[in-house]
């Protein structure tokens, strides 16, 4: 019989571990699915690891990997994939915002032969207008970059062993799981779900971390910002030519003061654009530097 591994990245989730472990046990054994749970404690500062150990004592199908410090959700997902034994591996949040019933549906899709089963958000849950807008912009850039609709994508996925092995073999260290699983291709299916309310604990994201996350993932899959620089440069070049022509005409007809002020403004503008351009190049350069350093994505302190 096939084994399903469920990878659960967990950061400060002491309240959720017992609930999630028990819920998944009920739902999966109820559906007659042979499973293992792989909790990845991403350097939690609360009793998450203790709860994982307790869950393991209650159910030997519960496994745990504990990081030496917080490495972030992407690293936790990757470590979970690397430590999963299943014929297929699912990734889901451990706060039950990804409904376990959907997991069963995804498993059945896998049984039908789909190798990448993506959990797709039917609704995005409660979000502010500004959040929705910036998320929309981010996903439209990402969708272009990986050539697949990412607007409703989530980290809730089930992958066949083949797809897992391909992802594990990809050498990049700063990967974005959500895009990676679309980028690798394979026979894929989508299963819709409604994002649930978090049952306990709180979200680890804020505007700053989300913005950082967005930029880092765009840089991973798209070089659009670098190409944008060329576009802006060309536009500025044309504008400068026009302004130069205007300036000459103005000098001839005799109103030098306004012309001088205008040219100072243009210089400042060009200066600012150049700095931004250098910043974008620097951002990619820093990422290349980090890849070249090839530091591990995570460091494991303990395993059960
Ligand atoms: N998470 C993690 N490492 C982190 C931040 C979050 O493993 O540094 C886990 C977290 O425990 C949860 C999942 O990633 O299982 C999603 O996080 P969260 O619920 O905070 O995000 P949201 O659902 O609000 O987008
Ligand atoms: Mg959550």
């Amino acid at each position: 019989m096939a084994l399903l591994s469920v990878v659960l990245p967990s950061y400060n989730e002491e309240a959720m571990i017992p609930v999630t472990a028990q819920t998944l046990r009920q739902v999966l054994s109820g559906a007659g699915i042979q499973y293992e749970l792989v909790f990845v404690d991403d350097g939690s500062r609360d009793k998450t690891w203790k709860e994982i150990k307790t869950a393991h004592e209650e159910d030997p199908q519960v496994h745990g990997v504990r990081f030496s410090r917080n490495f972030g959700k992407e690293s936790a997902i990757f470590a979970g994939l690397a430590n999963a034994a299943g014929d297929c591996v699912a990734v889901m949040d451990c706060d039950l915002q990804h409904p376990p019933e959907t997991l069963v549906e995804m498993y059945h899709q896998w049984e039908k032969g789909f190798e990448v089963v993506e959990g797709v958000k039917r609704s995005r849950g409660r979000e502010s207008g500004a959040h929705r807008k910036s998320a929309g912009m981010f996903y439209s850039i990402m969708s272009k970059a990986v050539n697949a609709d990412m607007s409703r994508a989530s980290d809730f996925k089930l992958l066949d062993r083949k797809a897992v092995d391909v992802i594990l073999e990809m050498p990049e260290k700063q990967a974005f799981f959500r895009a990676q699983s679309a980028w690798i291709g394979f026979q894929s299916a989508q299963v819709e779900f409604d994002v649930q309310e978090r049952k306990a604990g709180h979200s680890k994201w804020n505007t700053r971390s989300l913005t950082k996350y967005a930029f880092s993932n765009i840089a991973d899959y798209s070089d659009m910002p670098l190409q944008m620089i060329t576009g802006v440069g060309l536009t500025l070049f044309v504008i400068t030519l026009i302004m130069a022509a205007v300036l000459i005409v103005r000098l001839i007809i005799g109103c030098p003061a306004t012309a001088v002020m205008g040219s100072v403004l243009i210089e400042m503008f060009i200066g600012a654009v150049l700095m931004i351009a250098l910043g974008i190049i620097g951002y990619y350069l820093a990422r290349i530097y980090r890849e070249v350093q090839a530091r591990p994505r995570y460091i494991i302190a303990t395993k059960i």
Side-chain angles (χ1 to χ4, degrees):
M1 200 188 163
L3 175 71
L4 161 70
S5 301
V6 185
V7 168
L8 300 134
S10 322
Y11 180 52
N12 294 342
E13 301 281 6
E14 56 180 8
M16 286 311 303
I17 304 286
V19 186
T20 304
Q22 209 204 342
T23 311
L24 285 176
R25 185 157 61 227
Q26 275 167 4
V27 172
L28 293 175
S29 48
I33 299 172
Q34 200 191 331
Y35 69 92
E36 64 161 1
L37 307 184
V38 184
F39 283 99
V40 182
D41 177 359
D42 185 10
S44 300
R45 273 166 300 205
D46 63 358
K47 296 201 186 73
T48 297
W49 184 245
K50 200 172 149 257
E51 291 296 344
I52 294 173
K53 280 198 290 190
T54 310
H56 169 72
E57 278 152 25
E58 281 166 14
D59 179 358
Q61 293 308 109
V62 173
H63 305 291
V65 174
R66 185 191 199 184
F67 284 177
S68 61
R69 64 166 170 88
N70 181 245
F71 279 92
K73 188 183 178 186
E74 294 292 323
S75 296
I77 291 175
F78 197 78
L81 295 180
N83 285 279
D87 302 293
C88 59
V89 184
V91 173
M92 72 191 285
D93 285 0
C94 89
D95 53 12
L96 293 181
Q97 285 194 281
H98 297 157
E101 299 74 34
T102 309
L103 182 59
V104 176
E105 207 182 321
M106 290 162 102
Y107 182 82
H108 292 319
Q109 292 293 322
W110 173 76
E111 283 184 317
K112 281 188 200 152
F114 290 103
E115 291 147 326
V116 176
V117 187
E118 319 229 18
V120 172
K121 295 172 186 165
R122 189 178 292 131
S123 56
R124 288 190 53 97
R126 275 190 309 160
E127 271 173 355
S128 72
H131 185 124
R132 200 175 290 265
K133 258 234 155 66
S134 38
M137 234 160 77
F138 167 62
Y139 283 115
S140 84
I141 297 177
M142 287 309 292
S143 302
K144 272 207 198 90
V146 299
N147 202 9
D149 179 20
M150 297 280 297
S151 63
R152 299 187 299 149
S154 73
D155 284 334
F156 188 20
K157 293 179 197 299
L158 190 146
L159 309 179
D160 181 71
R161 169 55 47 194
K162 237 188 300 176
V164 173
D165 288 343
V166 166
I167 289 183
L168 289 176
E169 271 162 30
M170 285 168 79
E172 63 211 75
K173 297 283 196 281
Q174 307 161 81
F176 178 36
F177 177 64
R178 209 172 285 195
Q180 215 171 14
S181 59
W183 185 88
I184 57 170
F186 288 112
Q187 280 288 348
S188 64
Q190 297 193 335
V191 171
E192 287 195 328
F193 71 97
D194 288 307
V195 178
Q196 307 295 304
E197 288 286 316
R198 187 181 246 285
K199 302 273 187 307
H202 49 81
S203 173
K204 277 89 202 169
W205 295 99
N206 53 42
T207 310
R208 189 163 169 256
S209 62
L210 275 175
T211 311
K212 230 177 117 183
Y213 181 75
F215 277 115
S216 134
N217 295 324
I218 288 170
D220 246 0
Y221 277 87
S222 168
D223 41 24
M224 190 267 274
L226 286 174
Q227 254 121 46
M228 221 169 57
I229 297 175
T230 319
V232 174
L234 285 174
T235 315
L236 273 180
F237 181 70
V238 173
I239 293 175
T240 315
L241 284 184
I242 297 168
M243 295 305 271
V246 172
L247 192 84
I248 291 165
V249 172
R250 281 190 155 239
L251 281 172
I252 292 168
I253 59 171
C255 42
T258 36
V260 168
M261 268 168 65
S263 70
V264 168
L265 267 179
I266 296 169
E267 270 165 30
M268 279 170 63
F269 178 64
I270 293 176
V273 170
L274 280 178
M275 303 270 250
I276 295 168
L278 280 176
I280 296 175
I281 295 170
Y283 190 77
Y284 277 86
L285 198 70
R287 293 183 75 84
I288 296 169
Y289 178 56
R290 251 172 291 140
E291 288 292 340
V292 171
Q293 280 179 318
R295 293 205 177 128
R297 277 180 164 194
Y298 54 82
I299 295 164
I300 292 176
T302 331
K303 262 198 218 187
I304 44 166

